[in-house]
Amino acid sequence: MSVPTFSAIPDHLAIIMDGNGRWANARGLPRTMGHRKGVEAVRETVRAAGDVGIKYLTLFAFSSENWRRPETEVSDLLGLLKAFIRRDLAELHRQNVRIRVIGDRYNLRSDILPLLIEAEETTKDNTALTLIIAFNYGSRDEITRAFVSLAKDVEAGRLRPQDICPELIDGRLDTAGIPDPDLIIRTSGEERLSNFLLWQAAYSEFMFVPEYWPDFSRDLFFSALERYAARDRRFGGLSAKPAAAVGS
């Protein structure tokens, strides 16, 4: 399958995969079918990201707020995560994909945490795409944990308060060592971050697409990258692109 070329691609793309349940409801199907169809979209997106040379892909798989959903739906979501790792880990490893998991690991279920650790350990030396799975993740919780860590160092005398800076905070976040996302996509037409990468998104481009996540195809992925390539990213400075001619 041919892969288009782009004048610019994000080094780090993050996606809020939204709309599985509504996709199913619109078809008169159980919500679980939407989640299962969403896993197929994950596989296709990971392949497409690798094909175009994206270095980091973060997927918002399960938020710290998702535990509030009905127990049956939570169990199904966790089951799909386990099935994805068991089924796809070997293939991702063959593709030289590195897996990294962000989110709070404290008190995670004993049938989930070992699988996440196994995925990270198995692929830790891989050098192609880094697939970052945000699981039991909430940005406010992440930032709180970072500041608690810094406060402990200050209390112990290892750190002076005046030495705390954005770079030091970066190093205490779950995403330490990972560049901030250049582009954040959210599917389903919703236009909010929903507690996702709040610190890291300071200069991210945002793209909100109307399609539900299970419908996020390879073509839609490439269309989003084409729109990104046309953006003018100034980071608070002046445009690096030449100004359009008068009358053009």
Side-chain angles (χ1 to χ4, degrees):
M1 186 178 296
S2 63
V3 178
T5 57
F6 304 95
S7 59
I9 60 170
D11 282 338
H12 182 179
L13 167 64
I15 304 178
I16 302 172
M17 306 178 294
D18 194 21
N20 290 343
R22 279 168 286 165
W23 180 92
N25 291 338
R27 290 160 176 76
L29 299 171
R31 288 175 61 86
T32 55
M33 294 302 297
H35 296 312
R36 294 178 190 278
K37 184 69 174 178
V39 172
E40 297 178 19
V42 167
R43 294 189 179 104
E44 185 68 13
T45 299
V46 171
R47 284 193 291 266
D51 288 344
V52 298
I54 288 173
K55 297 176 183 177
Y56 299 89
L57 174 65
T58 298
L59 301 178
F60 202 3
F62 192 89
S63 79
S64 52
E65 289 81 23
N66 284 156
W67 299 105
R68 303 171 188 169
R69 295 189 178 188
E71 185 177 349
T72 53
E73 183 169 349
V74 170
S75 294
D76 191 67
L77 285 168
L78 297 182
L80 286 172
L81 175 66
K82 290 190 289 185
F84 174 77
I85 293 176
R86 287 168 176 158
R87 173 179 171 178
D88 293 65
L89 179 58
E91 178 61 26
L92 291 170
H93 190 33
R94 281 194 294 271
Q95 295 173 3
N96 199 26
V97 172
R98 180 188 177 194
I99 296 175
R100 183 161 164 182
V101 181
I102 61 173
D104 188 4
R105 302 188 183 195
Y106 183 70
N107 278 341
L108 272 186
R109 283 174 31 171
S110 59
D111 60 335
I112 292 290
L113 184 57
L115 282 175
L116 300 179
I117 294 173
E118 177 189 359
E120 288 186 316
E121 286 297 313
T122 300
T123 64
K124 65 181 181 181
D125 295 324
N126 291 345
T127 57
L129 171 72
T130 296
L131 173 61
I132 302 145
I133 300 173
F135 178 79
N136 194 30
Y137 175 85
S139 189
R140 287 182 171 180
D141 170 73
E142 174 192 30
I143 294 169
T144 299
R145 287 187 280 110
F147 274 92
V148 168
S149 172
L150 291 168
K152 288 180 178 178
D153 280 355
V154 170
E155 185 179 40
R158 295 187 293 267
L159 179 67
R160 299 184 305 166
Q162 60 267 35
D163 291 332
I164 295 175
C165 60
E167 292 75 19
L168 197 58
I169 295 169
D170 280 341
R172 302 296 176 101
L173 296 173
D174 295 348
T175 53
I178 297 171
D180 292 341
D182 302 291
L183 172 63
I184 298 177
I185 297 174
R186 181 169 187 154
T187 58
S188 86
E190 302 290 352
E191 298 185 0
R192 56 182 178 272
L193 281 177
S194 295
N195 201 18
F196 181 58
L197 299 179
L198 300 179
W199 175 276
Q200 298 88 339
Y203 282 100
S204 299
E205 296 291 320
F206 298 110
M207 198 172 294
F208 303 104
V209 298
E211 291 82 7
Y212 296 135
W213 175 246
D215 289 328
F216 194 71
S217 64
R218 189 179 180 92
D219 286 343
L220 286 172
F221 178 83
F222 291 151
S223 176
L225 293 186
E226 185 174 9
R227 290 166 58 193
Y228 169 81
R231 300 274 180 97
D232 183 12
R233 305 189 71 205
R234 297 185 296 276
F235 300 98
L238 299 178
S239 175
K241 294 186 176 183
V246 176
S248 63

